[in-house]
Amino acid sequence: GKDRIIFATKEDHETPSSAELVADDPDDPYEEQGLILPNGDINWNCPCLGGMASGPCGEQFKSAFSCFHYSTEEIKGSDCVDQFRAMQECMQKYPDLYPQEDENDEKSTKDLEAASMEASAAKEEKGSS
Amino acid sequence: RMREVDLGCGKALLIKESGEFHAVGHKCPHYGAPLVKGVLSKGRIRCPWHGACFNIGTGDIEDFPGLDSLPRFQVKIEKEKVYIRASKQALQTQRRTKVMAKCISLSNYNLSSTNVLIIGAGAAGLVCAETLRQEGFSDRIVMCTMDRHLPYDRPKLSKSMDSHPEQITLRPKEFFCTYDIEVLTEMQVAAVDVKSKIAVFKDGFKMEYNKLLIATGNTPKTLSCKGKEMENVFNIRTPEDANRVVKLATSKNVVIVGASFLGMEVAAYLAERAHSVSLVELEHVPFKKFFGERVGRAVMKMFENNRVKFYMQTEVSELREQEGKLKEVVLKSGKVLRADVCVVGVGAVPATGFLKQSGINIDSKGFIVVNKMMQTNIPGVFAAGDAVTFPLALRNNKKVNVPHWQMAHMHGRIAALNMLAHGTEISTVPYLWTAMFGKSIRYAGHGEGFDDVVIQGDLDELKFVAFYTKSDEVVAVASMNYDPIVSKVAEVLAAGRTIRKRDVDIVTETPLVFLSFRTGDMSWLTGKGS
């Protein structure tokens, strides 16, 4: 069949992505520094934060995240609701930079999985050549 | 670093990693999961639902479940713009079956001799056969099975109990003809003579082999009490078992013995179809050994909310009949349960009894002992899947048995590569899932012997992640409604890194933060504690 050529701009890929898990050994000199620096401070440059500590909402993010990290409440971070709300409000102003995953999307993904449990994988197979 | 791109007649997954762009299919060939929601790490992407891994450069499947790979699309950068070129067909099918060889030397063989003989047509056997063909092996391959059917999707037997064998077959009949993978059904091996390299079948038929794979899986345990031979008492081993149970259970009373994966999934499936569903279990919570008490209790609540009754810390003492059919199940606690159907899910033993005199090394529990290349103590004889105990790199090469779907696939692949003398050693993180009432629990790692469980999220809402630790180390992780944390942890463990217990807070902090801003849901902050 005929090929279709579509393009996407490079800049579209500068958006923050989901976090990287970091469990690096702070004592290992060859390991990139993780989320927590050897002195106990948060490493705002950690790639695991997906660039959220910078940009237009960087300050709100740092404020909320610091609060959460140092929170000693029984439900960790429950004393940080204001900071998180401020962060959220800021991020909503820049939907291109901070894409919101809406609840409908999450629900439809779950429905998709539930349906796949019932459906037969073989049916899909036979449909292809 | 990953996003779906709509190309008109289908979507592609565009990936940017280490400054380079790649484009592959966007749906996992296993059950169609959106890979954009998966985990990207060092040249591969892991599916968020059941853990399959695909190379982002080639689209090739690297870890399982599933049999097919992703189609790969051409990416070109020109003047600050990214161009993707894809064939219409690939965009529509969203899967790529790897190129496979056929048999070119069939005439060299008489009916009773083959190059490769595979005993067992489950995931391990099938992936072994396919991998051989993918690597260009063009000699005779014969697969034999006690079962009536071509390889089928075993996890569906307890999750989609009404599925007929043809609906859950892993490859259509034509596939086996096209690639010269001969499948002999209803053929049971009675003994193996490793010196003469001959497999002897129950009906007297003998087959000579050059290389042998034993992938016979498990045999479910039955009850040992009075009346166990009665009609309407089932294990769920074949599609026929599952179909029959559904027929007999509809609008009737079901008693299920054993509250682990099989029992719980069957209970969930039958809950809205049967008149009553009762679960009998020795422990005081379901899944206690695997998921721990707290998770077990949370799951139990979900079942109770769905009218399933639990009879814990007891076992079946007797089955009573009326006119030859099951009527009542008597428990050691004294309780008598009305029962029209009884499903037994109390574990399984490896189907290796027929190898007792063979000289193949079998351990005290009946598992075939293999090394990291799936080799037994006998040259040319390999073993894979549920029937095997093998060194798990994740646990310092301790010999373990991992009777789960993903591992069976990986074993089959490694065995095939080593039949061809590649010298490939197994290196994978066990991954499994269980699905009940439309919800899934995902699990990765090897949690055997855990001494603590660190839980983040909300157990009551069934939105949590549980880290199983042994002294200071995370040995396994489970989650419900917390994607893609389990795939994330699986990738960290696969990279050979250790997650320390004290790091768990940090490890979950970042996903939690993103979860909250992405969904706008901050109830985890103000909700009930776990």
Side-chain angles (χ1 to χ4, degrees), chain B residues 65 74 137 255 283 380 417 429 450 493 504 507:
Chain B
Q74 210 183 75
F137 182 80
V255 171
E283 291 284 358
L417 293 176
V429 174
F450 70 82
L493 295 176
V504 163
V507 144

Side-chain angles (χ1 to χ4, degrees), chain A residues 19 52 68 101 110 113 120, chain B residues 167 481 488 509 514 518:
Chain A
M52 286 184 41
F68 177 85
E101 180 177 287
K110 285 189 208 138
E113 194 189 354
S120 54
Chain B
Q167 290 176 304
N481 253 304
K488 267 232 146 100
E509 263 177 35
F514 290 109
R518 288 177 97 202

